[in-house]
Amino acid sequence: MPRKLALAIGVSDAPPLDYLRGAINGAHQFQDWADKNGYQSELLTDEETPVTIQLLREKLEAMLSPQQDDPVTRLILYFAGHGLIREAEEGLWLLSDWNKELRAVAVEVLKRRLYLFYCVPQIAIFADACRSLPTNMTTLDLVPDAVLGKGPARAAINPAVDKFIAAQDTAATFMVPGSTQDQDRCLFSGVLMEGLWGAPTAVSAYFPGKVTSQSLAQFLLAEV
């Protein structure tokens, strides 16, 4: 049976940057949505263990391991936490130990390896992270890491890729504090979940009752 996969990543504590409880909350909410919509969903947060590139690699490799007669037909990646860019479209996600290892997730390269070497035909990326420019030598000197290696490298495919990002290049994202930390929410993620759960203005005009990539993009553009 074809497999639809979803991995929700939430990194709240990436010292010396500000603590982001909303990142954990967003990851939990996204994983809940994916689970209830037929995805084999996984959650990766730093609530108990720091989220490192090695841990992320192990999680992805386990999810994407080849299974006879059970090909992966779709993979959704959600990330909430700190991020930046160094060049146009070179988004970097900062994990728990970024400041110690001076490494960051190279999102675009990871995306390419998913379809080139793991042959995932449909990929969607939801990134609730800043895309600010480096502000010091530490962030300027980060090594981009694609997380995954060459993988099974089966037949070449022409993938369908959707990418939804919280901020344009050089811009920051925002978190809205709640009355308790459990109610903190990242602005983009909060609106995203409203759309995914079928907010009226997120439903497609061409496919009644369905939220499509196009209708979701229009909804996020208008609301965020």
Side-chain angles (χ1 to χ4, degrees):
M1 179 180 295
R3 291 182 290 154
K4 297 192 305 179
L5 308 178
L7 176 60
I9 309 160
V11 179
S12 63
D13 194 17
L17 303 174
D18 292 339
Y19 179 77
L20 299 174
R21 174 64 197 202
I24 291 177
N25 299 340
H28 276 278
Q29 292 164 4
F30 193 93
Q31 191 269 339
D32 179 62
W33 170 85
D35 186 61
K36 291 176 179 175
N37 280 275
Y39 289 84
Q40 296 178 25
S41 61
E42 297 281 349
L43 180 70
L44 185 60
T45 71
D46 58 354
E47 292 167 276
E48 297 182 359
T49 304
V51 176
T52 64
I53 286 177
Q54 179 62 31
L55 186 59
L56 177 56
R57 178 183 299 116
E58 292 171 358
K59 177 71 73 173
L60 283 171
E61 287 178 341
M63 293 176 69
L64 294 166
S65 60
Q67 297 182 18
Q68 188 174 8
D69 300 324
D70 291 325
V72 175
T73 57
R74 181 181 302 162
L75 172 66
I76 295 180
L77 288 180
Y78 167 92
F79 175 82
H82 288 284
L84 52 84
I85 61 165
R86 284 222 298 251
E87 295 181 8
E89 289 301 311
E90 188 193 6
L92 301 175
W93 293 345
L94 305 183
L95 303 184
S96 303
D97 61 346
W98 74 274
N99 193 48
K100 175 183 177 182
E101 300 295 330
L102 293 181
R103 306 186 78 84
V105 176
V107 185
E108 292 300 314
V109 188
L110 171 59
K111 179 189 72 177
R112 286 197 298 273
R113 294 195 180 176
L114 284 168
Y115 67 74
L116 284 175
F117 301 136
Y118 286 82
C119 301
V120 181
Q122 288 186 321
I123 302 168
I125 296 174
F126 297 87
D128 198 342
C130 294
R131 292 171 69 85
S132 306
L133 292 168
T135 57
N136 52 46
M137 287 302 298
T138 298
T139 51
L140 186 64
D141 203 39
L142 285 172
V143 175
D145 195 311
V147 182
L148 293 174
K150 196 168 185 180
R154 296 183 292 271
I157 59 170
N158 184 23
V161 179
D162 289 308
K163 186 170 68 171
F164 302 86
I165 57 176
Q168 299 303 312
D169 289 356
T170 74
T173 58
F174 300 95
M175 188 179 75
V176 180
S179 55
T180 66
Q181 283 193 335
D182 288 341
Q183 295 176 331
D184 289 356
R185 102 175 167 165
C186 297
L187 178 61
F188 174 82
S189 292
V191 177
L192 169 65
M193 296 316 303
E194 293 177 14
L196 289 175
W197 281 115
T201 52
V203 174
S204 172
Y206 303 101
F207 300 93
K210 302 291 185 181
V211 176
T212 66
S213 297
Q214 291 77 16
S215 66
L216 181 61
Q218 292 171 357
F219 172 77
L220 291 172
L221 184 62
E223 296 298 323
V224 176

